[in-house]
């Protein structure tokens, strides 16, 4: 595992560097179109162009990953009532990273590893700066370091992908002075993330690797060193737990309770007020919804909608999220039992191949290489129990490449090969690769183009070029017909014309577009809110207006699905509709309650005063 910087070609090196940069920017900024699309385009191009006829080999692991990816894409496009481009990109990052990993040579793997280690050493220095000064944050994470990742836990997970195998390699029968510098730098980066999940995954990966080294006879540790290592793990575990619950401890020790009561209260407060409580609440919501569609799930990337339907006080304290913070439970929720089985099949086939290959390999260097991979991936599987690693390209790129390289090693063993795909003539195979690449790149580019047409439409409308605005947004709809946002974007243009001109045609066109958008994504309740406002304020322009009672029912549905605490606009509109219906007593009562909730928020209080003109109680 030499950290050499020899390049097989300038193009490969440049592509790998660009891929790492764009993927990390995607993880930081979270923008599919500006960072996700170019990163995925480079990844797909590399993985397909480097594919050779000799690599068309099916192993248990590659078969499991192929089945898993097909099921996820099927769920996203055909089963899910709401298509999410992010979901397609997440699965693509995993699948094509795995495909690229299968084609990497040893030298190319070392090149990629060297670049990645260098980047994360810089990140560790940056993380220490964040932790000590409180500055340098792209995304605020409190007192914890996160560098380019959205949360400190994800940053810790990414570091573990590198740190765990490096430590295992150092504990093996190897000498590498550079590792004695790199490992402490990365380890400090892990510590300042203050991630309990990251630390548990680290300990799990290290323990797995050391045990395998011990079993294979490649470990050079005596009993004293083992004892020292165990003590260090215990000490650092206490430090991580203490710092992550420090506020709770100080809160409890300020009381006049006995020692036993203090301990009990500390445990209760830790569970109640830290991220443990967040996750327990998220798990509860996910498990309840899982029972509705157990076989094929509730749709990929739809968890946020079901969480928003929860109006409990916990949601107000924790906020909303797309993620259950447990990848296994989220797969059960979104893709059902079938999706969870496919995910578990990847884990089972990975360990099956690993231990079969480890048993049949006598060469020490090959054994050590396998153990590094097992330790690394074990850490990822463990951390996925408490976070959303399978939804982060900046982690899935590294994990997918590792699994792909591992499967490449397994494909050389006849007893691990299930099937050799047909060997096509070279020209035919290259033609198939080119056509496949063109089709995939074209497909993932359509939503990007649709987004640009939508932005151009907004600009044209601002410049009062109305004909161009409508034409551009309709082009966006043709390019991405499964997305409701472009139907809503055109509906907004017609709604503005309805307000400005009291135009009958505009009102009915907006109604048609809103109905179509709701049918494409029934979970986005802001669409129903807009439709209710249209029927309440412009019923005289519509061909088939609904009653005011129906409008109230629609708005009650919006409030039931999107937390009242988080959805202030829906509450305001509901109060206005109550007033329109002559139910002024209810409107005034609800408005008083709403004012009380927002008494500390001057901006929202001003919004209330502008939007509402209270009437006298009837």
């Amino acid at each position: 595992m030499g950290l050499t910087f020899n390049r097989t070609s300038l193009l490969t090196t440049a592509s790998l560097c660009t891929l790492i940069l764009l993927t990390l920017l995607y993880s930081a900024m979270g923008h599919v179109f500006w960072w996700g699309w170019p990163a995925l385009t480079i990844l797909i191009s590399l993985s397909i162009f480097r594919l050779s006829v000799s690599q068309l080999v099916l192993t248990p692991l590659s078969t499991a990953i192929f089945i898993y990816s097909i099921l996820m894409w099927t769920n996203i496009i055909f089963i899910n009532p709401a298509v999410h481009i992010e979901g397609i990109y997440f699965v693509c990052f995993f699948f094509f990273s795995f495909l690229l990993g299968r084609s990497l040579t040893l030298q190319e793997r070392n090149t990629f590893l060297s670049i990645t280690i260098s980047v994360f050493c810089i990140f560790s220095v940056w993380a220490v700066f964040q932790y000590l000064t409180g500055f340098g944050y792209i995304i605020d994470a409190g007192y914890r370091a996160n560098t380019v990742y959205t949360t400190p836990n994800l940053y810790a997970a990414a570091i573990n992908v590198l740190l765990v195998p490096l430590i295992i390699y150092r504990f093996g029968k190897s000498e590498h002075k550079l590792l004695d510098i790199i490992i402490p730098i990365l380890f400090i980066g892990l510590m300042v993330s203050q991630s309990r999940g990251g630390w548990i995954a680290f300990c799990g990966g290290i323990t797995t690797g050391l045990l395998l080294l011990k079993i294979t006879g490649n470990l050079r540790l005596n009993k004293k060193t083992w004892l020292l290592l165990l003590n260090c793990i215990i000490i650092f575990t206490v430090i991580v737990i203490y710092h992550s619950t420090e506020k709770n401890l100080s809160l409890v020790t300020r009381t006049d309770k006995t020692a036993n009561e203090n301990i009990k209260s500390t445990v209760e407060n830790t569970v109640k007020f830290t991220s443990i409580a967040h996750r327990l609440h998220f798990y509860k919501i996910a498990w309840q919804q899982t029972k509705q569609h157990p076989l094929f799930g509730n749709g990929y990337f739809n968890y946020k909608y079901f969480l928003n339907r929860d109006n409990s006080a916990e949601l107000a304290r924790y906020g909303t999220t797309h993620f259950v913070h447990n990848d296994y439970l989220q797969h059960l929720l979104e893709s059902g039992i079938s999706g969870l089985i496919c995910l578990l099949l990847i884990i089972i086939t990975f360990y099956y191949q690993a231990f079969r290959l480890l048993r049949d390999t006598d060469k020490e260097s090959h054994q050590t290489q396998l153990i590094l991979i097992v330790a690394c991936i074990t850490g990822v599987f463990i951390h996925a129990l408490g976070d959303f690693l399978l939804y982060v390209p900046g982690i899935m790129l590294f994990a997918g490449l590792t699994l792909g390289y591992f499967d490449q090693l397994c494909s050389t063993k006849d007893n691990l090969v299930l099937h050799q795909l047909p060997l096509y003539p070279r020209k035919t195979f290259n033609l198939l690769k080119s056509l496949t690449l063109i089709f995939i790149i074209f497909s993932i580019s359509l939503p990007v183009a649709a987004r640009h047409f939508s932005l151009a439409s907004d600009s044209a409308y601002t410049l009062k070029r109305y004909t161009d605005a409508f034409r551009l947004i309709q082009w966006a709809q043709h390019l991405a017909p499964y997305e409701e946002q472009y139907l809503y974007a055109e509906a907004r243009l017609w709604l503005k014309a309805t307000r400005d001109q009291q135009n009958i045609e505009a009102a009915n066109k907006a109604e048609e577009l809103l109905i179509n958008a709701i049918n494409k994504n029934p979970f986005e309740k802001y669409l129903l809110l807009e439709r209710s406002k249209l029927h309440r304020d412009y019923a005289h322009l519509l061909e088939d207006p609904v009653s005011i009672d129906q409008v109230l029912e629609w708005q009650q549905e919006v409030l039931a699905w999107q937390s009242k605490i988080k959805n202030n606009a829906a509450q305001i509109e509901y109060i206005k509709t109550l007033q329109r219906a002559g139910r002024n007593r209810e409107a005034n009562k609800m408005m008083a309650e709403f004012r009380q909730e927002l008494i500390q928020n001057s901006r929202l209080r001003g919004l209330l005063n502008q939007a509402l003109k209270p009437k006298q109680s009837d």
Side-chain angles (χ1 to χ4, degrees):
M1 189 177 163
L3 300 178
T4 177
F5 280 84
N6 293 329
R7 282 5 181 217
T8 56
S9 69
L10 181 61
L11 180 60
T12 301
T13 302
S15 299
L16 291 174
C17 290
T18 307
L19 176 60
I20 294 172
L21 174 63
L22 291 173
T23 304
L24 291 175
L25 285 172
Y26 183 27
S27 298
M29 308 301 180
H31 204 298
V32 173
F33 303 113
W34 307 136
W35 310 114
W37 176 78
L40 187 57
T41 300
I42 293 174
L43 176 61
I44 293 173
S45 301
L46 280 173
S47 61
I48 291 181
F49 268 127
R50 295 183 55 81
L51 190 64
S52 65
V53 176
S54 60
Q55 293 166 2
L56 299 178
V57 176
L58 289 179
T59 64
L61 178 60
S62 61
T63 303
I65 289 178
F66 180 75
I67 294 173
Y68 167 82
S69 301
I70 292 297
L71 179 66
M72 291 299 106
W73 284 322
T74 301
N75 183 291
I76 293 168
I77 298 172
F78 300 108
I79 298 177
N80 193 349
V83 176
H84 301 286
I85 296 301
E86 297 95 330
I88 297 175
Y89 275 50
F90 293 152
V91 180
C92 283
F93 259 98
F94 178 53
F95 178 78
F96 287 104
S97 295
F98 173 79
L99 203 61
L100 178 60
R102 295 192 74 192
S103 66
L104 287 179
T105 65
L106 179 61
Q107 190 174 24
E108 290 168 340
R109 186 207 64 168
N110 287 341
T111 298
F112 186 88
L113 186 59
S114 300
I115 296 170
T116 306
I117 289 175
S118 301
V119 168
F120 274 87
C121 283
I122 296 172
F123 281 179
S124 290
V125 175
W126 180 7
V128 171
F129 177 77
Q130 287 181 327
Y131 183 75
L132 294 178
T133 66
F135 295 101
Y137 286 94
I138 296 177
I139 301 171
D140 185 31
Y143 63 92
R144 302 163 64 191
N146 63 345
T147 61
V148 301
Y149 287 86
T150 52
T151 71
N153 295 325
L154 298 179
Y155 168 58
I159 278 193
N160 279 336
V161 173
L162 297 171
L163 181 60
V164 169
L166 288 177
I167 292 177
I168 299 301
Y169 182 72
R170 188 64 185 86
F171 277 129
K173 296 179 179 179
S174 60
E175 292 290 344
H176 205 300
K177 293 182 180 179
L178 188 57
L179 287 181
D180 294 333
I181 300 174
I182 293 173
I183 289 174
I185 293 175
L186 294 178
F187 184 77
I188 292 172
L190 173 65
M191 293 304 298
V192 296
S193 72
Q194 291 294 302
S195 170
R196 285 167 296 187
W199 181 249
I200 292 171
F202 171 82
C203 293
I206 291 293
T207 303
T208 301
L210 292 179
L211 286 175
L212 291 176
L213 284 177
K214 182 70 174 177
I215 293 171
T216 57
N218 296 322
L219 185 64
R220 54 188 187 118
L221 289 180
N222 53 36
K223 290 184 178 179
K224 290 184 179 179
T225 309
W226 268 105
L227 184 61
L228 177 62
L229 180 63
L230 179 61
N231 287 333
C232 288
I233 289 177
I234 293 173
I235 291 171
F236 281 117
T237 300
V238 172
I239 292 173
V240 171
I241 294 175
Y242 172 75
H243 277 285
S244 60
T245 57
E246 185 177 2
K247 292 182 180 180
N248 297 323
L249 287 168
S250 62
L251 176 66
V252 173
T253 53
R254 283 198 298 268
T255 63
D256 297 327
K257 299 180 179 179
T258 63
N260 289 336
E261 289 176 333
N262 279 337
I263 294 173
K264 180 180 178 182
S265 298
T266 300
V267 173
E268 290 176 348
N269 287 334
T270 299
V271 172
K272 185 175 181 181
F273 295 110
T274 66
S275 60
I276 296 175
H278 297 209
R279 284 161 172 75
L280 292 176
H281 182 68
F282 295 158
Y283 299 165
K284 177 183 175 183
I285 299 299
W287 178 250
Q288 290 173 345
Q289 187 60 36
T290 295
K291 300 173 184 178
Q292 302 298 318
H293 302 282
L295 186 57
F296 294 108
N298 296 270
Y300 194 87
F301 216 51
N302 282 347
Y303 174 66
K304 178 180 180 179
Y305 300 126
F306 306 117
L307 184 63
N308 280 348
R309 188 171 56 183
D310 173 48
N311 282 320
S312 65
E314 285 85 352
L315 180 61
R317 185 162 67 245
Y318 308 148
T320 189
T321 176
H322 282 288
F323 310 108
V324 181
H325 289 70
N326 181 316
D327 282 333
Y328 306 100
L329 182 55
Q330 182 143 2
H331 273 70
L332 182 61
L333 166 73
E334 295 180 345
S335 53
I337 296 173
S338 57
L340 179 61
I341 289 175
C342 287
L343 178 59
L344 295 178
L345 193 61
I346 293 175
I347 298 173
I348 293 169
T349 54
F350 168 74
Y351 285 111
Y352 167 77
Q353 289 185 195
F355 290 116
R356 282 287 299 271
L357 193 58
L358 195 60
R359 185 191 63 186
D360 298 339
T361 302
D362 297 326
K363 194 172 180 180
E364 183 180 308
S365 60
H366 289 174
Q367 287 181 339
T368 302
Q369 191 175 45
L370 285 171
I371 291 170
L372 300 183
I373 294 172
V374 171
C376 168
I377 298 301
T378 297
V380 173
F381 290 154
I382 292 174
H383 201 157
L385 287 166
D387 237 302
F388 48 96
L389 274 58
L390 297 182
Y391 297 82
V392 183
I395 295 173
M396 293 317 301
L397 173 66
F398 305 131
L401 287 169
T402 304
L403 286 172
Y405 186 75
F406 164 75
D407 199 59
Q408 178 194 127
L409 300 176
C410 296
S411 63
T412 60
K413 301 293 182 180
D414 292 338
N415 60 346
L416 291 176
V417 174
L418 296 178
H419 183 63
Q420 171 72 54
L421 298 179
L423 300 178
Y424 296 97
R426 184 173 180 179
K427 289 185 178 179
T428 304
F429 185 69
N430 288 337
L431 177 61
L432 288 174
K433 287 199 305 182
S434 299
L435 293 175
T436 302
L437 180 62
I438 292 171
F439 173 75
I440 295 175
I441 297 299
F442 177 75
S443 299
I444 67 171
S445 300
L446 290 178
V448 180
R451 178 61 175 168
H452 283 292
F453 276 114
S454 177
L455 294 175
S457 174
D458 292 341
S459 300
Y461 195 89
T462 302
L463 297 173
K464 297 184 179 181
R465 291 161 39 203
Y466 301 120
T467 302
D468 292 340
F470 281 102
R471 186 179 71 254
L472 288 168
I473 198 60
Q474 287 167 0
W475 268 103
Q477 293 170 24
H478 292 314
L479 294 172
Y482 41 79
E483 292 200 52
E484 85 289 340
Q485 60 176 311
Y486 302 125
L487 290 169
Y488 175 60
E490 184 181 355
R492 283 187 304 172
L493 300 179
W494 289 110
L495 286 170
K496 183 171 177 56
T498 302
R499 288 192 297 269
D500 295 344
Q501 305 170 18
Q502 296 292 307
N503 188 291
I504 294 177
E505 180 185 357
N508 286 282
K509 184 62 177 178
E511 164 75 353
E512 177 187 347
L513 289 165
L514 287 172
I515 291 174
N516 291 337
I518 291 170
N519 290 335
K520 288 189 180 297
N521 190 345
F523 300 126
E524 289 289 5
K525 296 303 176 181
Y526 72 88
L527 298 170
L528 187 59
L529 180 63
E530 289 297 330
R531 190 182 179 204
S532 71
K533 289 161 59 179
L534 175 64
H535 280 265
R536 182 194 65 197
D537 299 335
Y538 304 102
H540 60 287
L541 300 177
L542 296 172
E543 294 178 357
D544 188 20
V546 300
S547 65
I548 194 69
D549 291 335
Q550 181 63 61
V551 172
L552 284 169
E553 285 185 22
W554 285 345
Q555 292 180 352
Q556 287 168 356
E557 182 179 344
V558 174
L559 290 172
W561 265 80
Q562 295 183 239
S563 172
K564 294 178 181 179
I565 300 172
K566 295 294 180 183
N567 196 7
N568 303 298
Q571 283 186 269
I572 293 173
E573 295 301 333
Y574 184 66
I575 294 171
K576 292 171 70 174
T577 307
L578 286 173
Q579 293 175 343
R580 185 72 59 86
R583 295 160 61 175
N584 296 321
R585 182 170 297 168
E586 293 178 52
N588 292 338
K589 180 180 178 181
M590 187 174 180
M591 185 164 56
E593 294 174 352
F594 189 34
R595 286 181 186 276
Q596 188 64 32
E597 289 175 3
L598 303 175
I599 196 67
Q600 302 300 325
N601 193 323
S602 59
R603 183 182 66 83
L604 290 175
R605 192 164 63 247
L607 178 64
L608 255 181
N609 291 332
Q610 292 178 8
L612 301 174
K613 294 182 178 179
K615 297 182 179 180
Q616 295 298 321
S617 177
D618 55 1

